[in-house]
Amino acid sequence: MINSQTAAPALPASHEREKVVQALGRMEDLPLEYRQALSDHNLVPLWPSLRAVLPPHTPGPRTQATQWDYATIRPLLMQAGALTPIEKAERRVLVLANPGHGLDKMQASSSIYLGMQLLLPGEVAPAHRHTPNAVRVIVEGEGAYTTVDGEKNMMQRGDLILTPTGLWHEHGHDGDKPVIWLDVLDLPLMYYLETSYVKEGASQTVSGSASERVYAHGGVVPAPMFERSDRRYPMLRYPWVEVRAALLALHEAQPGAAAVQVAYINPENGGDSENVLGFSALMLRPGELLQLPVRSPAIVFHVIEGAAVVKVDDKVFTLGEADTCCAPGYCRIQLENTSAVQPAFVFLADEAPLHRKLGVYETRPQD
Ligand code: 1HN
């Protein structure tokens, strides 16, 4: 984690008046035999690395603003379909890896993992459950399903399907064309915590009704006289047709709203749908330029419909349908729908629930 060679980030203009940070002693300032004596006993001096682990004012993230184009991923994923049978992959995924973390780390940010998964007609990705939380956003194809906790969820383009920590899940495909989806997991966090593991299991027996029908209407939940649902994850599939309709309704009801955005929540308690990562959908109105608040969590943008230009500090990403990008925390982000006629619909995943639980969630004024 610690790299004493890492340069401290430049101070933003508005903070130049802060106390000038004094340079501290370097490793090279210490006699070689002293350094050797320390490392012989598993000891390390703090001061040469103190500024790297506690940079002034703003963290120095490894996460780099990065874009992944679907047009690049798709043919390579299809090639994986030809090269590696599902039995040899279990999950046939190309990971969207952030070069700032090193490709081998398979991280989009400190806590977010992203992957594009391919399931071909007739294939089965066997049942397992694991500690990392996952969601999928369906990108392409019809006829595939994922069974989660005994509930069979059909996959349709734009749907969000949860597979929270500990729930059994498996994928199957009765259609006749490839199905591709985006996986979003908190795997890097779970791995860092040394809590990441999986259990294999037998195929589930499908039981129970579809949760998206049970919670289809906003403001009301099933309330039998004797029992309210106590499932930690009562709703597993959030159909895109419903979320899209909610965004359009919000736009019509509140034409002057600062942003047309809805959060994917637990409909029983209004809380985050999962424990670590937060999920939402945003409609960019035709021609809209949206400045996001500067916030501590890293964030991922994935275009479901239309196109968007995403500016992250000085980087500019032009995203079309099914393209994805990520941004580290604490940066200036601007989204623009350059179409004067079509709305754009964007899926967002961020680390906000985690930051809030840890007490480090922060917003800052744009400067
Ligand atoms: C996983 O279980 C799935 O169930 C996909 O489809 C991607 C990446 C890392 C660890 C577990 C799935 C995954 C994963």
Side-chain angles (χ1 to χ4, degrees):
M1 170 186 84
I2 301 169
N3 178 359
S4 56
Q5 308 306 316
T6 308
L11 290 176
S14 64
H15 302 286
E16 277 171 2
R17 274 170 281 110
E18 279 189 6
K19 185 168 175 276
V20 174
V21 178
Q22 185 170 347
L24 299 176
R26 299 167 304 165
M27 190 67 97
E28 308 85 270
D29 300 337
L30 299 169
L32 209 57
E33 60 275 29
Y34 177 70
R35 285 150 66 180
Q36 191 58 52
L38 290 178
S39 46
D40 286 348
H41 295 90
N42 298 325
L43 296 168
V44 175
L46 171 62
W47 57 97
S49 303
L50 186 58
R51 298 281 183 251
V53 291
L54 272 183
H57 185 68
T58 301
R62 290 188 191 285
T63 303
Q64 291 172 10
T66 306
Q67 172 174 4
W68 296 270
D69 287 336
Y70 192 57
T72 307
I73 298 170
R74 193 184 187 283
L76 293 168
L77 194 51
M78 295 307 294
Q79 227 176 314
L83 291 168
T84 308
I86 193 69
E87 297 75 21
K88 289 284 175 199
E90 253 174 53
R91 300 304 194 257
R92 192 189 290 109
V93 178
L94 292 181
V95 179
L96 282 53
N98 192 305
H101 289 271
L103 300 186
D104 57 318
K105 296 288 192 297
M106 302 198 298
Q107 292 180 239
S109 73
S110 72
S111 303
I112 304 176
Y113 158 104
L114 299 173
M116 281 282 181
Q117 181 162 173
L118 167 69
L119 199 64
L120 293 170
E123 288 185 338
V124 167
H128 68 192
R129 59 185 188 144
H130 41 67
T131 45
N133 295 276
V135 299
R136 333 196 173 280
V137 181
I138 314 310
V139 176
E140 177 185 322
E142 297 262 316
Y145 58 87
T146 179
T147 306
V148 183
D149 199 22
E151 245 178 56
K152 184 172 177 176
N153 300 284
M154 295 310 294
M155 295 176 163
Q156 265 158 10
R157 214 178 84 75
D159 289 355
L160 181 79
I161 300 175
L162 309 187
T163 51
T165 182
L167 298 196
W168 290 106
H169 57 281
E170 63 201 276
H171 317 304
H173 189 356
D174 297 332
D176 54 11
K177 294 199 181 68
V179 166
I180 297 174
W181 63 80
L182 176 71
D183 289 313
V184 185
L185 285 84
D186 53 19
L187 177 67
L189 176 72
M190 295 297 173
Y191 186 74
Y192 172 74
L193 295 175
E194 300 183 348
T195 56
S196 180
Y197 71 96
V198 69
K199 284 187 175 171
E200 313 291 336
S203 186
Q204 300 160 80
T205 308
V206 175
S207 61
S209 59
S211 58
E212 78 271 14
R213 292 213 307 278
V214 173
Y215 293 101
H217 301 284
V220 290
V221 298
M225 201 69 83
F226 299 101
E227 183 185 348
R228 260 296 277 285
S229 171
D230 57 357
R231 290 172 77 186
R232 170 63 187 89
Y233 304 102
M235 185 161 170
L236 295 172
R237 173 173 173 237
Y238 297 72
W240 176 240
V241 286
E242 304 287 349
V243 177
R244 190 183 194 280
L247 286 165
L248 287 169
L250 181 58
H251 168 51
E252 273 164 33
Q254 299 181 345
V260 185
Q261 187 179 17
V262 294
Y264 294 90
I265 56 155
N266 175 331
E268 285 287 347
N269 62 20
D272 298 311
S273 55
E274 288 190 349
N275 283 330
V276 176
L277 302 181
F279 309 104
S280 64
L282 178 72
M283 175 180 142
L284 290 170
R285 295 157 281 199
E288 179 170 359
L289 181 71
L290 182 66
Q291 195 93 34
L292 299 188
V294 173
R295 307 188 318 152
S296 53
I299 186 163
V300 167
F301 302 97
H302 172 79
V303 174
I304 294 182
E305 244 183 88
V309 176
V310 181
K311 285 194 187 141
V312 182
D313 287 336
D314 301 331
K315 283 195 184 168
V316 181
F317 302 129
T318 303
L319 306 184
E321 262 172 34
D323 292 343
T324 307
C325 75
C326 73
Y330 302 92
C331 48
R332 290 174 201 83
I333 302 177
Q334 199 181 71
L335 304 175
E336 187 176 6
N337 179 3
T338 50
S339 167
V341 284
Q342 299 296 333
F345 295 94
V346 185
F347 170 78
L348 284 68
D350 69 27
E351 301 165 336
L354 175 66
H355 281 212
R356 288 203 167 92
K357 287 187 174 90
L358 296 179
V360 297
Y361 182 85
E362 225 188 287
T363 60
R364 293 182 176 184
Q366 298 260 359
D367 56 10

